[in-house]
Amino acid sequence: MTDCIFCKIAAGTIPANIVYQNDDVLAFRDLNPQAPTHILVIPKKHIATTNDITAKDAALIGQMYLAAKQIAKDEGIAESGYRTVMNCNRGAGQTVFHIHLHVLGGRQMNWPPG
Ligand code: 5GP
Ligand code: ZN
């Protein structure tokens, strides 16, 4: 999608601090971090919200979690703990309509979330 900021990051036309990528997924540091580690894992393919995920995307979504696991290890937060979050639609706080898995850690994460 030409007007999607995360598609532009995936295409390399907007810069990002990339920490992990393979053929299908990309991970980069959040511009406005909410924790000492705050990384976004995205599929390179455009999917607007979790409501738009189909059965054909199952392996791709699995790859996002495998990337999150590797990133947590690389960031040194795998054992202390981290949170993975995907916000769906505005009521949940989604502002960029290309799915992204937030990987947050490096501080105590509270529950319930806001
Ligand atoms: P959402 O609110 O949709 O769950 O999360 C969107 C996230 O994307 C926010 O945490 C926001 O800081 C981040 N973000 C928005 N635009 C950019 C950008 O251009 N580059 C990076 N690295 N992060 C962005
Ligand atoms: Zn997109």
Side-chain angles (χ1 to χ4, degrees):
M1 264 184 68
T2 50
D3 62 344
C4 169
I5 194 149
F6 287 177
C7 280
K8 287 179 182 167
I9 288 175
T13 55
I14 286 183
N17 190 340
I18 293 168
V19 297
Y20 178 96
Q21 69 172 310
N22 64 27
D23 286 349
D24 302 313
V25 305
L26 178 70
F28 50 90
R29 294 193 190 279
D30 196 291
L31 207 55
N32 183 24
Q34 302 301 313
T37 292
H38 188 175
I39 289 164
L40 304 174
V41 183
I42 68 166
K44 290 186 175 178
K45 163 190 164 178
H46 183 86
I47 300 172
T49 79
T50 52
N51 290 335
D52 301 299
I53 295 169
T54 70
K56 279 188 288 184
D57 299 318
L60 181 60
I61 303 305
Q63 282 202 56
M64 291 172 71
Y65 278 90
L66 289 171
K69 170 188 154 179
Q70 184 60 45
I71 289 161
K73 189 176 175 194
D74 293 346
E75 293 284 314
I77 57 171
E79 299 309 319
S80 56
Y82 61 98
R83 183 168 295 167
T84 50
V85 181
M86 231 192 282
N87 297 322
C88 183
N89 280 334
R90 295 191 193 281
Q94 185 176 10
T95 58
V96 177
F97 286 80
H98 177 136
I99 60 167
H100 45 281
L101 186 62
H102 294 261
V103 181
L104 297 139
R107 67 167 169 82
Q108 181 62 43
M109 307 302 297
N110 300 311
W111 195 262

